Amino acid sequence: MHLELRQLRYFVAVAEELHFGKAALRLHMTQPPLSQTIQGLEELLGAPLFARSRRAVELTPAGAALLPEARRILAASSFLPTLVQRAAAGEAGRLSLAFVSSADYSVLPPFLRRYRAAFPQVCIALQEATSDVQIDHLLHGRIDTGLLIAPLPDKARLELDYLKVLTEPLIVALPAGVSTSAAGQAVALAALPPLPLIIFPRPIAPALHDAILACFRAAGITPEIGQEAIQMQTIVSLVSAGMGMALVPQSVSKLMRPGVEYRALRDPTPQVETGLAWRRDAVSPVLQGFLDLLRKNTDADPPDA
């Protein structure tokens, strides 16, 4: 079946006028080609659409059933140029975004609000994933972009671009009552009881994992690793259960759990960097709009740690 929008426009005109001559005038054409087009449409669809007599033209049951659908199709087709133009400008479409759990407590919520306000027609598909999983998904084209913990592995840098979004210090998450210092005061690792360390597995973010252990070594401590977990929520929950302590990015302190105290460290600590990565050869208009807005907001209003 080769149905044309032109045929539907002619059909709707006749159905609304119920007069071939008036419909032809409305369409700025003569009556014979209009009649021929309607006849061709009836042959194509396999049913008469109009009951014709010398006095009147009336819709058949088939014609009455077609009329609302023809109007819907014509109305939808009128939006196609706008849809295409919006997609070409990055104002419509779909964006798949992965993020590490710590970003959910820092840069992700405020930026999503800004992006939704600026691009309401874009559908955002969110996926929480660790940095190593995100890099694999990016390299295989499964996601458009990801908020992850820096740095990128050397091999990934050959195919991925990267934008720094946030830097923040590490703090310590302790079971409540472990520290004898006043609430809110910074603590030294060496002054804390020898609690087991709760940490994520090294393959997830090797640089950050090694930096955490280096903090303890600099304080003259060899920590006992009690538990490993891949999500910050799980790590904090294990601290809440009294199973040990953890060094976490400062923004994770927004994750409140009963039985957990967050303290700044007196010890020198590395800065944790969160950034956005994407495939260098796969920047769609939607992703370009996302990047432009992120750069604008990162430069003008750096997120609080």
Side-chain angles (χ1 to χ4, degrees):
M1 180 180 292
H2 182 61
L3 183 63
E4 300 178 4
L5 292 177
R6 173 182 61 89
Q7 294 172 301
L8 293 181
R9 283 196 298 269
Y10 290 4
F11 164 74
V12 169
V14 177
E16 291 177 348
E17 299 293 343
L18 291 178
H19 192 286
F20 277 83
K22 292 180 180 179
L25 289 174
R26 170 174 158 182
L27 294 167
H28 306 289
M29 63 187 300
T30 59
Q31 184 172 331
L34 173 59
S35 298
Q36 292 172 4
T37 300
I38 295 300
Q39 289 173 3
L41 179 61
E42 289 174 325
E43 293 174 2
L44 182 66
L45 297 178
L49 302 174
F50 296 100
R52 303 162 178 85
S53 69
R54 291 184 178 181
R55 291 188 174 185
V57 174
E58 296 180 353
L59 282 168
T60 65
L66 176 61
L67 182 58
E69 291 302 311
R71 286 171 171 159
R72 181 185 62 80
I73 292 171
L74 291 172
S77 69
S78 69
F79 288 107
L80 290 178
T82 300
L83 175 64
V84 171
Q85 291 163 13
R86 286 180 176 174
E91 298 174 358
R94 182 180 184 275
L95 179 75
S96 54
L97 169 66
F99 61 94
V100 291
S101 57
S102 58
D104 199 20
Y105 308 107
S106 55
V107 296
L108 185 62
F111 183 71
L112 285 180
R113 286 193 295 270
R114 294 186 183 112
Y115 185 74
R116 175 61 64 194
F119 299 95
Q121 300 300 317
V122 174
C123 174
I124 306 173
L126 294 172
Q127 173 188 347
E128 185 174 345
T130 55
S131 298
D132 59 323
V133 171
Q134 289 190 45
I135 290 169
D136 181 68
H137 285 353
L138 286 167
L139 293 175
H140 289 88
R142 300 190 190 107
I143 58 174
D144 297 316
T145 186
L147 276 167
L148 45 76
I149 302 296
L152 295 177
D154 291 339
K155 290 184 179 180
R157 292 177 187 175
L158 298 175
E159 299 184 48
L160 302 181
D161 277 337
Y162 175 81
L163 173 66
K164 181 175 73 173
V165 176
L166 170 69
T167 56
E168 56 183 330
L170 289 171
I171 61 173
V172 62
L174 298 166
V178 165
S179 175
T180 58
S181 62
Q185 287 187 352
V187 296
L189 289 174
L192 295 173
L195 299 172
L197 177 64
I198 303 169
I199 194 170
F200 46 85
R202 188 176 186 276
I204 290 176
L208 181 56
H209 183 281
D210 294 346
I212 289 173
L213 295 183
C215 288
F216 285 91
R217 287 196 298 269
I221 302 170
T222 302
E224 171 197 354
I225 296 180
Q227 296 286 334
E228 290 186 337
I230 66 172
Q231 301 293 350
M232 287 296 176
Q233 300 96 315
T234 305
I235 288 174
V236 172
S237 293
L238 292 173
V239 173
S240 173
M243 299 187 68
M245 64 177 174
L247 298 191
V248 298
Q250 181 174 292
S251 57
V252 176
S253 63
K254 296 177 183 177
L255 173 58
M256 303 306 297
R257 288 285 189 274
V260 177
E261 294 182 4
Y262 296 100
R263 299 291 187 94
L265 288 168
R266 294 179 185 172
D267 309 77
T269 59
Q271 293 288 308
V272 180
E273 182 175 309
T274 302
L276 193 78
W278 64 94
R279 283 189 64 89
R280 189 172 297 122
D281 60 355
V283 180
S284 66
V286 169
L287 177 55
Q288 188 61 59
F290 185 88
L291 294 172
D292 290 344
L293 187 64
L294 182 60
R295 289 189 180 103
K296 177 180 176 182
N297 284 277
T298 302
D299 294 341
D301 184 21
D304 294 332

